[in-house]
Amino acid sequence: TFFFLALQRLNTHVLVLLCALGPALTILFAVFFLGEIPPFWRWIGIVMVLSGVALVLDARGSHGNNSSTAGGIVYGLLSILCMSAGVIVAKVGLASVGALEAVFIRMLAGAAGLALWAVAAGRMREWVAPFWDLVLLRDMFAAICVCTLGGFWLSHVALKFADVSVASTLAATEP
């Protein structure tokens, strides 16, 4: 939710550049909460990857409009905080379940949370109305297959079998 609020207030380039801070925060969380201390050579690799991402994004965005709002920056930082915390919680959960089960549990919990929010806000009918469009359902099914089963599941596989520092740094190459 914070990510989409930031996306409404920031241009895409600024938000993606801001999100490059995510792996650094995730790694700090891993050090403090999981006791994962990356060796020195891994820190060098992390800095190189994040610098490369920032360099590419800065070069791509230097020709466009980089306007931003303070609220957008705050929402962006809150989204990074939530995403980093989510990675740490997922890493802990992946110790006892498989990656596919973890994705299913997270998606189910997210859907239940959104449904409760919609009911509490009295907007369930409004939020569900677009799903009667069969073209939208077809497109969403394709997006779910590619994004959720592809990207989200594979990110959990990486988290399960690698240190958080490696998995989150590699995820930073997404942009």
Side-chain angles (χ1 to χ4, degrees):
T1 301
F2 289 136
F3 179 82
F4 287 114
L5 288 169
L7 193 57
Q8 290 176 335
R9 289 162 177 81
L10 300 173
N11 69 39
T12 307
H13 172 77
V14 171
L15 183 57
V16 172
L17 188 56
L18 187 62
C19 286
L21 297 173
L25 182 59
T26 303
I27 293 165
L28 289 175
F29 281 179
V31 168
F32 290 113
F33 296 114
L34 302 177
E36 288 186 10
I37 312 275
F40 179 74
W41 59 269
R42 194 172 291 162
W43 282 110
I44 293 172
I46 290 166
V47 168
M48 289 174 62
V49 169
L50 295 177
S51 297
V53 170
L55 183 66
V56 169
L57 290 172
D58 186 52
R60 283 184 49 209
S62 62
H63 306 293
N65 176 14
N66 285 335
S67 64
S68 61
T69 66
I73 300 290
V74 169
Y75 285 132
L77 291 172
L78 286 171
S79 74
I80 292 165
L81 179 70
C82 291
M83 287 184 222
S84 295
V87 169
I88 299 304
V89 170
K91 179 69 173 180
V92 171
L94 284 165
S96 59
V97 299
L100 190 58
E101 293 89 354
V103 169
F104 178 76
I105 291 166
R106 288 186 74 181
M107 298 301 287
L108 188 61
L114 286 173
L116 288 173
W117 187 354
V119 169
R123 299 179 65 189
M124 179 63 90
R125 180 169 290 156
E126 176 187 344
W127 287 8
V128 174
F131 294 107
W132 292 105
D133 180 357
L134 294 180
V135 174
L136 175 67
L137 284 177
R138 181 201 65 205
D139 293 347
M140 282 190 60
F141 180 76
I144 288 168
C145 289
V146 172
C147 297
T148 304
L149 296 179
F152 201 47
W153 173 65
L154 289 173
S155 72
H156 279 66
V157 171
L159 271 176
K160 184 162 182 76
F161 296 109
D163 285 346
V164 170
S165 62
V166 173
S168 63
T169 301
L170 290 175
T173 64
E174 174 188 353

